[in-house]
Amino acid sequence: LMVMTPGGVEDRNFWILVCFLNGTSLASNAGLLNNAVALLWSRSSLPDPPLRVLFDSKLAVQDQLADVVSLLVVPAIATSFHICTSLRVVEYPSGPLFILWQRFGVLLVARLLSGLLTKEIFRR
């Protein structure tokens, strides 16, 4: 995301990528691909067994936890490098650090929202 949208959160392409990344995750968790294949081949989709639904919901929670941790750890490591560099260099710019946290904050909020939607999907 950093390379494809250098403008940050003001860049329209950044928001398109955020929506695409979280939309594909939601579509996968909702089983839209399986339902679309069932509709194309005119056959009814079989309901998932209860244990599989439970396993998939636990897997989705673990996936969300891993994403949230990485969305917090990566900018924290970058911040520590930024602080170390700013101690050595006079007048080191802090703008890129703010943009980094802004982007990761947006990704974190989007991931948490898609996780809540996924939880609702599995609850039904």
Side-chain angles (χ1 to χ4, degrees), residues 48-58:
D48 289 330
L51 287 178
R52 174 150 184 213
V53 172
L54 181 64
F55 175 77
D56 286 346
S57 65
K58 288 185 183 239

Side-chain angles (χ1 to χ4, degrees), residues 67-94:
D67 286 349
V68 167
V69 167
S70 67
L71 286 171
L72 291 173
V73 168
V74 170
I77 292 170
T79 301
S80 67
F81 284 125
H82 184 84
I83 290 171
C84 290
T85 305
S86 67
L87 292 175
R88 290 188 217 142
V89 177
V90 179
E91 296 184 27
Y92 193 74
S94 62

